[in-house]
């Protein structure tokens, strides 16, 4: 008995020493995972816009740009379906990964409908995608793959603003933002028990975000290099500066906005560099007035 007690004490001591310096696992901790930080120009180092907010084992995906499903795999997140998908707007660079997410997650084992939230038009887009892949669906269900008959389906929630998801300690609120001549483009705020996250979507400078993002821990915001902006030598390129001012937010503008919001960390994504370096982008944000922590987003970065 004494030998057993001594052995037990030794094992407890070894276990205790082995845990020293390690962060304890938190089942419901919130992590932002940048799956895609790019924009329409194909870039092997920056996939299409997609950001995961992971709360414990639940994955909330915001936008589904090209490569979203493969980036979920690269980030060691579920490839058989996310908890819910939230689309900011229907620009192609934010939705080209949507059919991949629908069908690949089904092939990888999703059993029930994908829950997809987004602006008006998302339902029509979804219907067309399911029609386009109708033969694929039939072969996978009726052939030797024996796929789950309802697994490819999508439950679309077309939204404008307000609380759009609220379950088990996670609340997602949508908020309209100005993005050129889109009728509806959305930002989202995620409030979990330990952390809050705001994702701007695509938007020009918008002070309404100050109220929407009050007290937020992590602000994930799109950005372009103001210093590099100029007309481009291509058809229609003379309107490039006008387009950027109407559709997007410069680094200096973002610095001014973030100074008013004062998040614990500002994450730059959907980065339109036009040749700008990280240092140039950071200098632009600092010039705008934000002096807090900034992360220039890279694919697969994890921010806590």
């Amino acid at each position: 008995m004494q030998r057993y007690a001594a052995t037990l004490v030794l094992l407890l001591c070894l276990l205790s020493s082995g845990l020293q310096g390690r962060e304890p696992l938190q089942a419901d901790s919130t992590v932002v995972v940048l799956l895609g930080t790019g924009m329409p120009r194909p870039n092997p180092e920056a996939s299409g816009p997609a950001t995961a907010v992971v709360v414990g084992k639940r994955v909330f995906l915001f936008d589904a740009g090209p490569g979203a499903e493969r980036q979920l795999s690269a980030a060691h997140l579920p490839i058989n379906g996310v908890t819910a998908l939230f689309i900011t707007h229907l620009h192609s660079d934010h939705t080209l990964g949507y059919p991949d997410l629908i069908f690949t997650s089904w092939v990888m084992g999703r059993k029930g409908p994908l829950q997809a939230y987004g602006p008006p038009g998302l339902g029509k887009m979804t219907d067309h995608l399911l029609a386009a892949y109708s033969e694929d669906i039939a072969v996978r269900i009726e052939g030797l793959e024996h796929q789950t008959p309802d697994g490819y389906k999508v439950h679309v929630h077309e939204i404008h603003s307000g609380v759009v998801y609220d379950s088990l300690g996670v609340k997602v609120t949508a908020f309209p933002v100005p993005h050129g001549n889109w009728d509806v483009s959305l930002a989202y705020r995620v409030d979990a028990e330990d952390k809050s996250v705001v994702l701007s979507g695509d938007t020009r400078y918008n002070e309404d975000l100050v109220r929407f993002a009050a007290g937020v821990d992590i602000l994930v915001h799109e950005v372009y290099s103001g210093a590099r902006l100029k007309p481009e030598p291509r058809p229609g390129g003379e309107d490039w500066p006008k387009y950027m001012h109407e559709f997007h937010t410069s680094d200096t503008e973002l610095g001014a906005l973030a100074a008013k919001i004062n998040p614990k960390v500002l994450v730059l994504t959907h980065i339109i560099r036009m040749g700008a370096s990280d240092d140039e982008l950071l200098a632009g944000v600092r010039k705008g007035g934000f002096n807090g922590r900034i992360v220039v987003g890279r694919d697969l970065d994890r921010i806590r």
Side-chain angles (χ1 to χ4, degrees):
M1 189 69 176
Q2 290 179 342
R3 181 179 297 177
Y4 172 79
T7 302
L8 181 59
V9 170
L10 177 60
L11 287 172
L12 289 172
C13 290
L14 289 172
L15 180 60
S16 175
S17 64
L19 289 174
Q20 288 180 2
R22 296 184 184 180
E23 183 181 352
L25 295 175
Q26 298 179 10
D28 293 324
S29 61
T30 302
V31 182
V32 173
V33 183
L34 304 180
L35 300 177
T37 57
M39 44 90 162
R41 180 178 293 278
N43 181 351
E45 297 180 357
S47 292
T51 304
V53 178
V54 183
V55 183
K57 293 183 178 181
R58 289 180 287 170
V59 178
F60 302 92
L61 180 62
F62 295 83
D63 283 331
E69 186 75 11
R70 283 160 177 75
Q71 291 297 85
L72 284 167
S73 179
H76 305 290
L77 296 175
I79 57 175
N80 62 345
V82 296
T83 304
L85 168 68
F86 301 85
I87 297 293
T88 60
H89 66 294
L90 300 181
H91 251 148
S92 58
D93 57 317
H94 294 253
T95 56
L96 282 169
Y98 184 37
D100 185 21
L101 193 70
I102 293 170
F103 297 110
T104 303
S105 65
W106 173 44
V107 172
M108 293 296 105
R110 194 177 88 243
K111 304 298 183 185
L114 173 68
Q115 301 297 319
Y117 299 76
L122 182 61
K124 182 179 179 181
M125 174 183 282
T126 304
D127 290 343
H128 284 304
L129 288 171
L130 295 179
Y133 285 89
S134 59
E135 291 190 38
D136 172 89
I137 293 168
V139 168
R140 292 189 188 278
I141 293 174
E142 299 167 9
L144 294 176
E145 292 175 76
H146 305 293
Q147 291 292 344
T148 304
D150 292 334
Y152 70 91
K153 294 182 178 180
V154 184
H155 186 185
V156 175
H157 310 257
E158 292 194 344
I159 58 177
H160 288 84
S161 63
V163 176
V164 297
Y165 179 98
D166 193 351
S167 178
L168 300 174
V170 176
K171 181 173 69 173
V172 180
T173 307
F175 181 82
V177 291
H179 184 42
N181 53 342
W182 281 98
D183 289 334
V184 181
S185 187
L186 300 170
Y188 290 97
R189 175 171 178 141
V190 182
D191 286 288
E193 292 182 1
D194 68 317
K195 202 169 279 126
S196 56
V197 182
V198 166
L199 305 102
S200 72
D202 282 7
T203 178
R204 67 173 180 260
Y205 180 83
N206 176 28
E207 287 203 356
D208 287 344
L209 275 173
V210 176
R211 173 177 56 85
F212 181 67
V216 76
D217 294 301
I218 301 174
L219 174 61
V220 182
H221 203 291
E222 66 124 84
V223 70
Y224 73 84
S225 170
R228 296 275 182 156
L229 184 61
K230 61 183 180 181
E232 295 192 339
R234 58 178 175 81
E238 66 276 5
D239 279 339
W240 180 241
K242 182 179 179 181
Y243 167 83
M244 293 299 288
H245 287 304
E246 287 295 317
F247 281 77
H248 297 288
T249 304
S250 75
D251 43 13
T252 305
E253 290 174 329
L254 179 53
L257 186 68
K260 295 177 180 180
I261 296 172
N262 195 29
K264 292 180 180 177
V265 56
L266 170 64
V267 181
L268 310 186
T269 191
H270 195 284
I271 301 171
I272 307 174
R273 289 180 179 271
M274 295 173 287
S277 66
D278 286 3
D279 287 343
E280 287 178 83
L281 291 168
L282 290 169
V285 175
R286 297 297 187 206
K287 181 179 178 182
F290 182 64
N291 296 314
R293 178 187 169 200
I294 305 172
V295 173
V296 180
R298 292 283 192 280
D299 286 12
L300 305 182
D301 279 354
R302 290 174 178 258
I303 298 98
R304 297 180 183 273

